[in-house]
Amino acid sequence: MRRDAGYDLVIIGGGLAGLSLGERLAAQTSPPNTLVIEPREHYSGDRTWSFWAPNNHRLSHLVRKQWTKTSYGCLNDPTELLHHQETPYQTIASNDFYRWSTKRIKQHSRVELSLGESLIDFDIIDGQYLLKTSKRTVYSTHVVDTRPPSDGTFDKSQMYQCFIGHHIVLEQALDETTAELMTDMHCDEHGFIFTYVLPLSTHEAIIEVTRFSTLQTPWAILQD
């Protein structure tokens, strides 16, 4: 079998995990010879990532918005307000992260990102991984697979978190200083449900409905 290229490391999947690892390797002076393969032909603004963190961290320059106040409350009850001055709740838009991390990777000759390339099959020959992709055959000393499991692992879960979200623009003004992390909390015949609202500006927000249940929530119920 023809071997087109050899690598020290192949990272399967160029999402958040794969790009984060690729970028950290590209930040080194002499990283292992690395290939990141990603099935998507191009990146788009498909999600956000939100978290608590100190005001200054490695990705601070990518933070679109942060909140030092978050609210919680049950349905028909007053909400509780928590303050997070030292570790505000923060959000990063995927487009900003994709642009930054791919640019960083492209700046290093020993870390390669290949879009539109997916893994077809692999084998281990003479202690090395032989990987057949949609574009070529490569071999590598090490492999990191960042893809979600596809072997029925989720079917064995005892609890599921399912949610549906929208990016909305409103005419009426919002309180952009407070993130609603768990409001209108209650239980119904499908499990536990709450509302999540991130006000990105006075008229723009991300709103989600989240459910926890012992069974995967059907799409129609999430949309209801």
Side-chain angles (χ1 to χ4, degrees), residues 6-12 18 21-22 25 31-37 110-112 128-129 131 138-145:
Y7 295 88
D8 299 314
L9 172 64
V10 171
I11 301 172
I12 304 171
L21 178 54
L25 291 172
N33 191 24
T34 301
L35 170 67
V36 184
I37 61 173
R110 290 181 61 84
V111 183
E112 174 189 351
Q128 287 191 316
Y129 291 91
L131 301 101
V138 300
Y139 63 93
S140 177
T141 306
H142 302 282
V143 172
V144 173
D145 191 347

Side-chain angles (χ1 to χ4, degrees), residues 50-146:
S50 302
F51 49 89
W52 282 277
N55 286 290
N56 295 308
H57 54 83
R58 194 168 182 273
L59 299 181
S60 291
H61 63 288
L62 296 178
V63 172
R64 177 178 180 182
K65 181 79 172 178
Q66 68 177 32
W67 301 267
T68 57
K69 295 184 293 182
T70 57
S71 62
Y72 310 81
C74 294
L75 184 66
N76 300 323
D77 286 342
T79 57
E80 298 287 338
L81 198 63
L82 296 183
H83 296 265
H84 316 275
Q85 297 297 330
E86 296 184 0
T87 55
Y89 194 66
Q90 307 173 34
T91 193
I92 291 177
S94 59
N95 252 348
D96 295 332
F97 175 78
Y98 293 148
R99 280 193 295 264
W100 174 76
S101 57
T102 54
K103 180 180 179 180
R104 296 268 293 174
I105 289 172
K106 289 177 181 178
Q107 290 173 344
H108 207 299
S109 61
R110 290 181 61 84
V111 183
E112 174 189 351
L113 171 63
S114 177
L115 296 178
E117 184 170 2
S118 56
L119 179 67
I120 303 299
D121 197 8
F122 78 94
D123 198 358
I124 301 176
I125 299 178
D126 298 329
Q128 287 191 316
Y129 291 91
L130 191 63
L131 301 101
K132 180 181 179 181
T133 77
S134 55
K135 291 184 176 181
R136 52 186 161 168
T137 298
V138 300
Y139 63 93
S140 177
T141 306
H142 302 282
V143 172
V144 173
D145 191 347
T146 68

Side-chain angles (χ1 to χ4, degrees), residues 194-210:
F194 64 86
T195 304
Y196 174 92
V197 181
L198 294 184
L200 301 176
S201 69
T202 54
H203 293 84
E204 181 184 11
I206 293 173
I207 182 168
E208 295 178 358
V209 173
T210 300

